[in-house]
Amino acid sequence: MKNLLTNGSFEGPHTSFQSGQAPPNWTDIVGSPDLNRVSAGVGSATDGNDWLWFGAGETIEQTLTTPLTVGTTYSLTIDIDVATTDAGGQAVASGEFLVLDQANNIIGSVTVLSAGGYTTQVITVIPVATVTEIRFQGDHPPVGANFTGVALMSVDNANLQIVCFTRGSQIKTQSGEVAIE
């Protein structure tokens, strides 16, 4: 199946750590997630050479070549490694990763435990309107709070696909359960 993201492996043209540089086909929206090729924080690449390091609330965006449509369910698989401490060195148990549309509506999210290594997350993405731009946001503090306890995280290997069902699968509709034909 086709990955609806371009450069979901976050590969870049550099040869070292690039603070504040979005990978090709991505744009920094809030803050500036760091494009990594050397170990500057948790993580390492799970595919290719590069990965992204998200500070508190940092957000990147990509314009999709194929918009996501209302009524279709999508699946985002992504490798996430949550640091065990925040920027101040205080212990962190987990971090929340958000998937947003161009209007900042949350269309998917996952809370990831600080496991001391990457875990592959599967996030159900359900558009509330046609999505032409998709955003990824790292853990963020509540409005008006400081950054204490906010998880830092590495991400890599993002793959967004349409959810497909096999023939005969039962799905709920307004008329009751119906088999996929």
Side-chain angles (χ1 to χ4, degrees):
M1 290 168 87
K2 179 184 174 197
N3 187 353
L4 299 176
L5 299 173
T6 303
N7 194 14
S9 63
F10 308 111
E11 297 303 311
H14 63 284
T15 58
S16 64
F17 171 77
Q18 298 293 307
S19 179
Q21 177 181 330
N25 302 104
W26 294 89
T27 304
D28 293 335
I29 298 298
V30 175
S32 54
D34 302 323
L35 184 60
N36 279 273
R37 183 162 288 190
V38 297
S39 188
V42 299
S44 59
T46 59
D47 69 336
N49 294 312
D50 300 327
W51 74 97
L52 280 181
W53 171 252
F54 278 88
E58 292 180 332
T59 308
I60 60 169
E61 172 182 83
Q62 179 176 119
T63 299
L64 298 169
T65 55
T66 303
L68 309 185
T69 57
V70 176
T72 303
T73 302
Y74 300 85
S75 177
L76 172 68
T77 56
I78 188 165
D79 297 335
I80 301 177
D81 183 2
V82 175
T84 55
T85 60
D86 66 12
Q90 293 188 9
V92 175
S94 64
E96 184 177 30
F97 182 82
L98 300 177
V99 181
L100 309 164
D101 65 15
Q102 63 273 5
N104 285 327
N105 295 307
I106 297 172
I107 57 175
S109 69
V110 65
T111 298
V112 183
L113 298 178
S114 300
Y118 276 107
T119 56
T120 299
Q121 303 296 317
V122 179
I123 304 169
T124 300
V125 175
I126 302 173
V128 295
T130 299
V131 177
T132 57
E133 297 170 350
I134 194 163
R135 297 177 178 178
F136 293 165
Q137 183 178 72
D139 201 26
H140 56 285
V143 174
N146 62 28
F147 291 98
T148 302
V150 176
L152 306 173
M153 61 183 63
S154 294
V155 300
D156 198 13
N157 197 21
N159 191 329
L160 180 66
Q161 297 182 338
I162 296 173
V163 173
C164 294
F165 298 97
T166 59
R167 185 179 302 269
S169 296
Q170 297 285 317
I171 60 170
K172 289 185 180 180
T173 69
Q174 292 177 344
S175 304
E177 287 198 8
V178 176
I180 300 289
E181 308 233 355

